[in-house]
């Protein structure tokens, strides 16, 4: 008897791929970690290939997993579009959504795919930039919604989720070997930049700005070279980099709050805002 790819198995597989962790993916799809593990085992039996490699910090796609992911995303998109079309459900139109780079890398794939499954006729235009730049765009009415970072201590009612900032280096990095400490940070007005400098100033640790950029890819590239350390939200740390232990001269960093700004209210913007508020705590 020939085997086929089950939609439910593919949906769980994509969730694991995006979350890079069985426990986080289980929260997304509303299953236990054990049930999700069984689904993954069943899918690997069907394709007769290992799809993930287990690591100390989660799971990574194998080469076969990468190939299946491309097919799975396309299959799910067509499936969801067909279901929405035949049931005549869903909104239509365009919304402009602003989001910082580190949140985009972790949260956007799930947010956009799940929203598109319900509303395939909606186009979400994504603008990635640090919070200060998003707020500038907001003031110009260039965005309909924006996911932004707020400093530790911001009012709880405006916070969807809190994320700790962490020091990040390449494997084997010994911060004691650097004097002054080379930093790869976002622009001077961003929360990670301000938090890093303030914490090191309080600790009396010497540092220099080796690289400052609004590009997360640029920051992590320098970290991978071993030439600097960066400050990133914990959930956005790439699996090939490591979170550095805090010490007397590498102090604990504050958390940031993630908040959603909603401009002119429309059924479309309200639907995407509610979807984001509901989904973000689970990711």
């Amino acid at each position: 008897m020939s085997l086929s790819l089950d939609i439910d198995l593919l949906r769980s597989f994509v969730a694991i791929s995006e979350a890079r962790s069985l426990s986080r993916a289980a929260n997304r799809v509303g299953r236990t970690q054990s049930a999700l593990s069984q689904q993954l085992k069943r899918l690997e039996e069907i394709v007769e290939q290992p799809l993930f490699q287990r690591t100390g910090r989660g799971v990574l796609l194998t080469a076969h997993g990468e190939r299946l992911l491309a097919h799975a995303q396309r299959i799910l998109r067509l499936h969801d579009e067909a279901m929405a079309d035949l049931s005549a459900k869903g909104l239509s139109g365009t919304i402009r959504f602003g989001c910082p780079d580190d949140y985009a890398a972790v949260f956007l794939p799930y947010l956009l795919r799940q929203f598109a499954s319900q509303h395939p006729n909606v186009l979400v235009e994504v603008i990635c930039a640090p919070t200060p730049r998003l707020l500038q765009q907001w003031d110009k009415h260039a965005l309909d919604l924006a996911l932004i970072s707020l400093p530790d201590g911001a009012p709880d009612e405006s916070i969807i989720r809190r994320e700790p900032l962490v020091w990040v280096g390449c494997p084997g990095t010994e911060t004691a070997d650097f004097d002054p400490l080379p930093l790869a940070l976002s622009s001077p007005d961003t929360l990670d930049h301000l938090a890093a400098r303030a914490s090191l100033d309080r600790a009396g640790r010497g540092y220099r700005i080796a690289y400052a950029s609004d590009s997360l890819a640029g920051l992590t590239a320098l970290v991978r070279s071993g030439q600097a350390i960066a400050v990133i939200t914990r959930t956005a740390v790439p699996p090939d980099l490591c979170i550095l232990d805090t010490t007397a001269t590498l102090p604990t960093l504050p958390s940031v709050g993630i908040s959603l700004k909603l401009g002119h209210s429309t059924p479309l913007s309200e639907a995407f805002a509610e979807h984001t508020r509901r989904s973000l705590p689970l990711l």
Side-chain angles (χ1 to χ4, degrees):
M1 181 178 64
S2 62
L3 300 176
S4 60
L5 294 172
D6 179 85
I7 291 293
D8 194 36
L9 294 182
L10 291 180
R11 207 175 294 282
S12 295
F13 166 70
V14 171
I16 299 169
S17 303
E18 293 174 350
R20 301 183 307 212
S21 161
L22 282 172
S23 59
R24 287 196 297 268
N27 286 334
R28 292 187 183 187
V29 299
R31 296 180 180 273
T32 65
Q33 188 171 335
S34 174
L36 206 59
S37 182
Q38 288 299 314
Q39 283 192 308
L40 177 57
K41 181 180 178 182
R42 175 59 179 156
L43 187 57
E44 289 180 327
E45 289 173 348
I46 290 173
V47 299
E48 298 182 337
Q49 299 291 348
L51 300 174
F52 288 100
Q53 173 188 351
R54 272 70 172 178
T55 71
R57 290 183 52 207
V59 294
L60 294 175
L61 284 166
T62 63
H64 291 102
E66 294 279 6
R67 291 169 60 188
L68 179 60
L69 180 60
H71 292 298
Q73 290 171 329
R74 186 164 61 252
I75 291 168
L76 290 174
R77 183 176 66 254
L78 293 173
H79 171 273
D80 293 340
E81 287 177 359
M83 293 300 295
D85 179 57
L86 292 172
S87 61
K89 70 173 183 177
L91 299 166
S92 62
T94 300
I95 50 177
R96 299 162 299 175
F97 178 62
C99 184
D101 262 358
D102 52 349
Y103 302 159
V106 178
F107 302 140
L108 270 189
Y110 178 84
L111 287 176
L112 296 181
R113 190 187 72 251
Q114 292 300 109
F115 193 74
S117 71
Q118 302 171 42
H119 309 286
N121 295 318
V122 171
L123 173 62
V124 181
E125 295 181 355
V126 179
I127 296 89
C128 288
T131 291
R133 251 56 72 210
L134 291 177
L135 293 176
Q136 291 169 0
Q137 293 294 308
W138 183 266
D139 290 339
K140 297 175 183 177
H141 306 289
L143 298 172
D144 299 307
L145 303 98
L147 204 60
I148 61 170
S149 299
L150 297 178
D152 211 14
D156 284 345
E157 61 268 17
S158 66
I159 303 297
I160 301 174
R161 175 186 178 120
R162 293 191 183 275
E163 278 291 331
L165 293 171
V166 293
W167 302 101
V168 177
C170 66
T173 295
E174 294 290 344
T175 58
D177 295 340
F178 295 104
D179 188 20
L181 189 68
L183 302 178
L185 301 175
S186 297
S187 297
D189 57 352
T190 58
L191 291 181
D192 62 295
H193 191 117
L194 295 169
R197 298 188 67 167
S199 65
L200 292 173
D201 286 340
R202 286 193 299 268
R205 176 69 188 271
Y207 62 87
R208 64 182 178 87
I209 308 300
Y211 183 78
S213 171
D214 285 345
S215 166
L216 180 63
L219 296 178
T220 52
L222 193 64
V223 173
R224 289 186 177 96
S225 75
Q227 301 303 302
I229 67 171
V231 172
I232 306 174
T233 51
R234 180 186 294 273
T235 194
V237 178
D240 62 319
L241 298 179
C242 60
I243 297 173
L244 303 177
D245 294 332
T246 56
T247 64
T249 56
L250 194 65
T252 301
L253 294 161
S255 294
V256 296
I258 303 177
S259 182
L260 183 69
K261 288 181 71 69
L262 173 62
H264 178 64
S265 178
T266 66
L268 179 52
S269 63
E270 286 284 359
F272 192 78
E274 177 57 28
H275 170 65
T276 301
R277 293 190 191 102
R278 185 176 63 251
S279 301
L280 214 61
L282 301 177
L283 299 179

